[in-house]
Amino acid sequence: MTDHGTRSSRSSARTERSRMGIARHGRLHSKPWATFAKVVASVAAVAVVSVLGIGGVAAASLISSAKPVIHLKGEQSVPDIAALKGGVNILIAASDTRSGQGNSWGTLDDSSGAGNNDVTMLLHLSADHTHAIVVSFPRDLMIPIPACGDNSAQDQAQFNSTLSEGGMSCVVSTVESLTGIKIPFAGLITFEGVVAMSNAVGGVQVCIGGDGIHDPDTSLNLDPGEVTLKGQDAAEFLRTRHGVGDGSDLSRISNQQVFLSSLVRTIMSDGTLTNPVKVWGLAKATVSNVQLSESLDNVTTLYQIAGALKGLNWNNIAFVQYPVVDDPDNDNRVIPDDASAQTLVDAIAHDQAVQITAGTGQGSVDASSGSTSSSSPSTSGGTSTSGSSKGSTSTPTSTPVQLSDNTHGQTAATQTCSNGAG
């Protein structure tokens, strides 16, 4: 990857930010991907396994096959309590490393070792457990990086370099520094983890719109219409950039949200949560393929979070892109849209639900209107623009915060299609 060592200050450029056009950054050659499955699978699956009365067997088997834990700076142990009290912040990163991933994803020359965090998502569950917000941070984001391990602080560097710079703890510290939000839990997943979990759930049905997705970089060929994705096809769908929207990383994020929203609906549906085989498969795939922080690496904690998440209404789960504008020094990079980002961060910090008014982004279209901009706003904690909802009927007690017209996203209840570029 590029720009890992950039250390020159760009404070003057940052103070002159305004609403510039969104960068295409289409000349980058990495192939990132992502999935929210590791979060929902780990919490919902473990909860249902326990309810079914096989939690003891699951705990012994799953913990014994789990990956080594991640140690976060200042991390404290979590007490074993029956029910989760308060809110939750979990950071999930997806590494592009080819180490230990077989021959399907390229060679070690592409990425090896820890790899780059080409996808990073922050899950926030409100303290009253009535709504959740999932924030995707662009890989091309140029921001200050704190000191990580033996590496000194950087005035400006590409965000996706933080995993290779100092491990998952560095990724967490960087997001905490950027947002001011404390993050006690974290998890890291790789290519094969996406394959295992998409297979465990039996595939995820997505809608392909536009001219279909035909991306030679990922060998993905999907004609317009409904398709069920699992295995490597699911991973390739989440990696594709040139096959959707304007070919940018930001288009890829909104395309990923098509998959993520459908995944949430699939996992939280009666057909999944009442199927012991699928539940067990999800739990097994999660702990076998996701490296968890020490604070999250126990069944009790997963069960507690599951109990808080499993009853969420689809309308109350919002997927949003961290708002950015073009980097004036490099049109292949982006920098934070400070005003828009502050609105989003304040909503999370004050446990307020959000209202998305900017539409879904260039990588997806509303299934009912065929537009990247919703005709009516999507509200976490309100009524979705389309689709149905299940789970708890409880709604957030606070008035939703209206996000800026530069903060794109959708709720889990909103039916969307990929904006295929042909």
Side-chain angles (χ1 to χ4, degrees), residues 65-113:
S65 62
K67 288 180 172 294
V69 298
I70 300 167
H71 297 280
L72 304 182
K73 183 171 64 177
E75 182 177 23
Q76 297 180 352
S77 61
V78 178
D80 291 339
I81 54 178
L84 184 73
K85 296 181 180 180
V88 174
N89 294 317
I90 305 175
L91 194 72
I92 298 296
S95 171
D96 70 351
T97 185
R98 273 65 171 179
S99 297
Q101 301 300 299
N103 300 320
S104 300
W105 313 104
T107 69
L108 295 180
D109 292 335
D110 296 316
S111 180
S112 60

Side-chain angles (χ1 to χ4, degrees), residues 192-205:
E192 291 301 315
V194 177
V195 172
M197 282 182 285
S198 63
N199 286 339
V201 78
V204 177
Q205 185 173 7

Side-chain angles (χ1 to χ4, degrees), residues 32-323:
W33 46 276
T35 185
F36 183 60
K38 55 273 184 187
V39 175
V40 181
S42 61
V43 296
V46 172
V48 179
V49 166
S50 298
V51 171
L52 292 173
I54 57 174
V57 177
S61 175
L62 300 183
I63 293 300
S64 66
S65 62
K67 288 180 172 294
V69 298
I70 300 167
H71 297 280
L72 304 182
K73 183 171 64 177
E75 182 177 23
Q76 297 180 352
S77 61
V78 178
D80 291 339
I81 54 178
L84 184 73
K85 296 181 180 180
V88 174
N89 294 317
I90 305 175
L91 194 72
I92 298 296
S95 171
D96 70 351
T97 185
R98 273 65 171 179
S99 297
Q101 301 300 299
N103 300 320
S104 300
W105 313 104
T107 69
L108 295 180
D109 292 335
D110 296 316
S111 180
S112 60
N116 302 294
N117 50 302
D118 273 348
V119 171
T120 307
M121 297 180 181
L122 172 64
L123 165 67
H124 169 73
L125 173 67
S126 63
D128 61 6
H129 305 166
T130 60
H131 70 275
I133 301 173
V134 182
V135 183
S136 293
F137 295 88
R139 61 182 286 273
D140 299 329
L141 184 62
M142 300 297 292
I143 52 175
I145 307 297
C148 296
D150 296 331
N151 297 312
S152 59
Q154 303 179 58
D155 292 332
Q156 197 89 329
Q158 190 170 331
F159 174 57
N160 76 331
S161 68
T162 52
L163 184 62
S164 60
E165 287 283 332
M168 193 63 195
S169 181
C170 187
V171 183
V172 170
S173 295
T174 301
V175 175
E176 287 183 333
S177 178
L178 175 66
T179 64
I181 296 171
K182 179 63 179 175
I183 304 170
F185 303 114
L188 179 66
I189 190 171
T190 56
F191 290 121
E192 291 301 315
V194 177
V195 172
M197 282 182 285
S198 63
N199 286 339
V201 78
V204 177
Q205 185 173 7
V206 298
C207 167
I208 308 300
D211 298 321
I213 300 175
H214 304 285
D215 181 7
D217 288 339
T218 59
S219 301
L220 193 64
N221 287 287
L222 300 173
D223 294 326
E226 298 286 337
V227 61
T228 298
L229 298 172
K230 60 182 179 179
Q232 187 165 342
D233 284 343
E236 298 290 18
F237 179 85
L238 293 165
R239 296 172 65 200
T240 186
R241 180 178 80 241
H242 297 122
V244 294
D246 62 3
S248 70
D249 181 52
L250 302 182
S251 286
R252 173 168 41 208
I253 289 177
S254 53
N255 180 60
Q256 290 166 353
Q257 291 173 349
V258 173
F259 184 96
L260 301 179
S261 60
S262 179
L263 177 63
V264 168
R265 296 192 296 269
T266 299
I267 290 178
M268 297 179 73
S269 70
D270 293 339
T272 297
L273 295 184
T274 59
N275 185 325
V277 175
K278 286 187 177 180
V279 166
W280 179 265
L282 279 169
K284 182 70 175 178
T286 299
V287 299
S288 298
N289 291 281
V290 182
Q291 188 179 8
L292 301 172
S293 62
E294 191 169 11
S295 55
L296 196 58
D297 190 49
N298 66 82
V299 171
T300 298
T301 304
L302 291 174
Y303 179 85
Q304 292 166 345
I305 298 174
L309 280 175
K310 67 177 181 177
L312 283 176
N313 190 296
W314 298 344
N315 295 309
N316 299 345
I317 304 173
F319 297 96
V320 298
Q321 298 181 26
Y322 186 80

Side-chain angles (χ1 to χ4, degrees), residues 379-398:
T379 304
S380 169
T383 302
S384 67
T385 57
S386 59
S388 61
S389 61
K390 291 185 180 290
S392 171
T393 57
S394 63
T395 57
T397 56
S398 62

